[in-house]
Amino acid sequence: DGIMMRLTDLVFAFPAIILAMVVAAVLGRGLSKAALAIVVVAWPSYARVGRGLVLSVGESEYVQSARLLGAPARRTLFRDVLPNVAGPVLVLATLDLANAILLLAGLSFLGLGAQPPQAEWGSMVADGTQYFQWWWMGTFPGLAIFTVVLAFNFLGDSLRDIFEDRKSTRLNSSHVTTS
């Protein structure tokens, strides 16, 4: 656990785009290699959030009660811990997908992502910078990137609101007292 968290700190020490550029340059050009570079950059946030959530849920009263009543660790994990961790990780994944799209577009813009004849928005924007007289070559792929990233951010915010409402509803219903 300690070694894994120090490794995540090491990855967090570098800016994501710089680390992704280094990994993509080492692996070579191509869309799949750029996607692998994004995975190398993105995994630490999931490790840190997942670890924190599992530790906090694992110390909660209902998990401790289940363990004291003799529930097997596997059953407690799948029945109590995993459902409470899945929501925040899903929200993080949705928000991170927007960052991944931006990072992939940036790598492709720099020539480290998709290679012709593959179409990718970042490489289309890069092509558009070569031909200013045809302004739409770079403008519309840039607007597509903007729109999709904004949509995933809205989706992530909506999912976060849904999961927070669900959590607060459960907490409020468990504190109802009878008179």
Side-chain angles (χ1 to χ4, degrees):
D1 182 53
I3 292 171
M4 190 65 106
M5 288 301 108
R6 296 306 72 81
L7 188 59
T8 60
D9 291 339
L10 180 68
V11 174
F12 277 138
F14 296 100
I17 186 72
I18 302 295
L19 187 59
M21 285 171 42
V22 168
V23 172
V26 167
L27 294 175
R29 296 177 175 196
L31 193 58
S32 62
K33 294 172 182 160
L36 184 59
I38 292 170
V39 168
V40 167
V41 170
W43 75 266
S45 60
Y46 295 97
R48 174 142 318 148
V49 168
R51 177 183 179 271
L53 288 170
V54 167
L55 289 176
S56 69
V57 170
E59 293 175 2
S60 64
E61 292 177 5
Y62 59 90
V63 172
Q64 295 295 327
S65 299
R67 295 294 294 149
L68 288 173
L69 290 173
R74 182 177 299 236
R75 181 176 176 200
T76 304
L77 176 69
F78 285 110
R79 191 167 182 201
D80 297 324
V81 176
L82 201 57
N84 289 305
V85 172
V89 170
L90 179 65
V91 171
L92 177 64
T94 307
L95 293 172
D96 240 8
L97 194 54
N99 290 333
I101 290 169
L102 282 174
L103 197 54
L104 182 61
L107 290 174
S108 293
F109 180 83
L110 296 172
L112 296 170
Q115 299 298 309
Q118 281 184 317
E120 203 278 325
W121 288 332
S123 60
M124 290 178 187
V125 171
D127 290 342
T129 62
Q130 303 298 315
Y131 305 103
F132 282 120
Q133 67 272 22
W134 298 311
W135 57 270
W136 55 88
M137 286 182 67
T139 302
F140 291 116
L143 286 173
I145 294 169
F146 172 76
T147 304
V148 169
V149 167
L150 193 63
F152 277 114
N153 279 322
F154 284 147
L155 178 63
D157 286 341
S158 298
L159 285 174
R160 185 194 64 218
D161 293 342
I162 289 169
F163 285 120
E164 283 181 0
D165 286 344
R166 200 179 287 171
K167 185 177 180 180
S168 67
T169 303
R170 275 187 285 163
L171 290 174
N172 289 337
S173 66
S174 66
H175 292 295
V176 173
T177 58
T178 57
S179 303

